Amino acid sequence: MKRSLLILLTFFCSVLFGQKVLIKTLEYGVLYYGVANPIDIVVENTKCNNFKVLVNDEVLEGNYCSYTVIPKEIKNVTIKVLTKHGKLLEKKQFQVKAVEPILVLNYPENKGDTIIQKNRGIDFLFKGLVCSDIPIQKLTYKITIIRNDTVVFISIQDKRFFTEEVIQALNEVITDDLVLFTDVKLTLADNLELESESLVYKVKK
C-alpha cells in the first residue's frame, strides 16, 4: 500500500510541477534543408533568458525566444530545451525535407494584369514555406518563344528581372505562341543548388 501511494504521489508531483514547452515551426514537425527555419520556443512561467536550446547537442543562440535553424543535412534534427542548470524540459525530433522551388511569373502589382506581355521577370515560391523571401545567390534559366513549331526567340538569363531584349520579345508575341522557361537552376546560401520545374505559357487572345 505504501509503495502504491509513493508511486501515485511521484506521478502527481511530476504533472503538477512539470513545465509545458511549446516549440513552434512553420510546418509541424518539419524543418527545411539549407534555409533559415524560424523557430519560436516558449517555456511555461519561464523568461526567454532562463532556458537554453540545443540542436543536435550544439547550443543555439536566440533572441527573445525566437531562433533560426539551418539544417545542413537531410536527416532528422533533435531539439532539446533545458534549464540553465541543464535539466531537460523537452526533447523533440524534426524531419528535414528538401526545399522545392516553384517558378512563377512576376506580374505588375495591383494592376490585375496577368498577360505575358506585361511580365517583367520571374520569382520563386518555396513549397511548404510561408515566407518565400529567400536570398538567391545564383540563377540561370532559358526563355524560348515558339511560334507554329518554330523557335523565334531564345535567351539565357541570370537575373530575376528580364533584360530589354526579353521584354521586347515578349511584347511581340502573338496568339498561340508558346513561352517556355526551362533549365531553371538556382543556388541558395551555403552553395545549396536546386532546380525548378519548367513553366510553359500559351499566349491567349
Side-chain angles (χ1 to χ4, degrees):
M1 180 67 180
K2 288 184 178 180
R3 179 180 175 82
S4 299
L5 182 59
L6 179 60
I7 293 173
L8 182 61
L9 285 174
T10 301
F11 175 75
F12 178 77
C13 290
S14 297
V15 174
L16 183 62
F17 296 107
Q19 293 172 284
K20 292 182 180 178
V21 179
L22 174 64
I23 303 177
K24 182 182 178 183
T25 56
L26 289 176
E27 182 179 342
Y28 181 77
V30 172
L31 297 173
Y32 285 90
Y33 166 69
V35 299
N37 293 261
I39 294 179
D40 294 324
I41 299 178
V42 178
V43 179
E44 185 180 25
N45 299 323
T46 304
K47 293 182 178 180
C48 298
N49 59 354
N50 285 337
F51 63 85
K52 60 182 179 180
V53 178
L54 302 182
V55 175
N56 290 343
D57 293 325
E58 292 187 7
V59 176
L60 182 66
E61 299 296 335
N63 184 29
Y64 295 105
C65 291
S66 295
Y67 301 82
T68 299
V69 176
I70 306 177
K72 302 296 184 182
E73 299 177 271
I74 300 183
K75 67 178 186 179
N76 287 352
V77 166
T78 300
I79 295 180
K80 296 179 182 178
V81 182
L82 304 93
T83 65
K84 273 189 169 182
H85 302 294
K87 178 185 175 183
L88 182 65
L89 299 174
E90 180 67 281
K91 177 182 177 181
K92 193 169 184 179
Q93 277 201 336
F94 291 81
Q95 179 187 4
V96 176
K97 292 183 178 180
V99 174
E100 296 181 39
I102 302 170
L103 185 150
V104 295
L105 297 178
N106 185 6
Y107 295 109
E109 293 183 4
N110 303 321
K111 292 186 179 181
D113 201 344
T114 57
I115 61 174
I116 193 72
Q117 293 91 330
K118 298 295 183 181
N119 191 264
R120 291 297 178 263
I122 63 170
D123 214 332
F124 291 93
L125 302 177
F126 291 87
K127 188 176 179 180
L129 294 176
V130 177
C131 175
S132 292
D133 188 19
I134 297 176
I136 296 176
Q137 309 292 340
K138 186 179 178 181
L139 171 66
T140 60
Y141 59 98
K142 181 166 65 176
I143 299 178
T144 306
I145 299 177
I146 299 176
R147 180 174 302 148
N148 297 325
D149 297 325
T150 301
V151 174
V152 296
F153 178 83
I154 189 168
S155 178
I156 305 296
Q157 298 289 301
D158 61 4
K159 299 285 191 304
R160 289 191 185 189
F161 292 100
F162 298 150
T163 61
E164 290 300 323
E165 177 192 27
V166 172
I167 292 173
Q168 181 177 344
L170 292 177
N171 284 333
E172 294 173 355
V173 296
I174 61 176
T175 301
D176 292 332
D177 279 358
L178 295 178
V179 183
L180 284 66
F181 299 83
T182 60
D183 301 334
V184 186
K185 299 179 181 179
L186 54 157
T187 303
L188 307 185
D190 295 323
N191 294 317
L192 175 60
E193 297 180 351
L194 303 172
E195 294 185 7
S196 174
E197 291 186 2
S198 300
L199 176 66
V200 178
Y201 181 97
K202 185 173 183 179
V203 178
K204 303 173 184 177
K205 292 182 180 179

